[in-house]
C-alpha cells in the first residue's frame, strides 16, 4: 500500500464546531480544488499544553495517515465510536461526520 502525498499547495476549509460542552477548531486539507477528497485534518481544542489538546492532535494525525493510505472518509466516519442515538462520542468522530454528511 502506497501513501498518497498531498500537493504542496492545496485547498482547505477551516471549521469551528462544538461537541459536548467544548468548542473545537479544525482544518481539512484536500487533494485538489474540487474539495472532493480530504487528505489531512488538523484538530484543536484551543487549550494549548493540555492532554486533551495532544489527544486531538494525535487523533487527527492518525486519521490523516489513514486518508493518505486510501481509507475513505466515510469509512472513518462510521468507524469512530457512537452513542446510543448513533451520534459521534468524540470530537474526531464529530469532525468526520461534518466532513461526510455536512454540518447537520
Amino acid at each position: 500500500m502506497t501513501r498518497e502525498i498531498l500537493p504542496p499547495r492545496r485547498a482547505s476549509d477551516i471549521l469551528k464546531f462544538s461537541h459536548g460542552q467544548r468548542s473545537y477548531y479544525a482544518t481539512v486539507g484536500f487533494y485538489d480544488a474540487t474539495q472532493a477528497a480530504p487528505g489531512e485534518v488538523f484538530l484543536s481544542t484551543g487549550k494549548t499544553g493540555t492532554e486533551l489538546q495532544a489527544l486531538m492532535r494525535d487523533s487527527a494525525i492518525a486519521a490523516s495517515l489513514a486518508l493518505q493510505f486510501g481509507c475513505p472518509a466515510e469509512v472513518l466516519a462510521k468507524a469512530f465510536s457512537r452513542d446510543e442515538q448513533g451520534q459521534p462520542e468524540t470530537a474526531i468522530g464529530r469532525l468526520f461526520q461534518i466532513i461526510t454528511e455536512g454540518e447537520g
Side-chain angles (χ1 to χ4, degrees):
M1 189 172 278
T2 304
R3 181 178 175 197
E4 186 176 349
I5 304 297
L6 287 130
R9 297 185 60 98
R10 54 196 165 269
S12 65
D13 280 339
I14 298 172
L15 309 166
K16 180 180 179 185
F17 65 96
S18 295
H19 181 74
Q21 296 182 9
R22 294 191 188 276
S23 292
Y24 295 89
Y25 303 90
T27 301
V28 181
F30 298 91
Y31 280 103
D32 59 36
T34 66
Q35 297 186 348
E40 66 182 352
V41 294
F42 300 91
L43 184 57
S44 172
T45 63
K47 297 194 182 253
T48 305
T50 65
E51 182 178 8
L52 180 60
Q53 174 70 11
L55 286 167
M56 294 300 94
R57 186 175 52 244
D58 286 352
S59 66
I61 290 168
S64 295
L65 287 169
L67 291 168
Q68 292 167 23
F69 275 97
C71 184
E74 293 78 11
V75 170
L76 287 172
K78 290 180 182 176
F80 292 119
S81 298
R82 302 255 173 184
D83 65 17
E84 297 81 24
Q85 289 79 39
Q87 295 302 310
E89 287 190 307
T90 63
I92 192 77
R94 176 68 179 122
L95 174 59
F96 272 82
Q97 181 183 49
I98 293 168
I99 290 170
T100 60
E101 299 175 15
E103 188 65 44

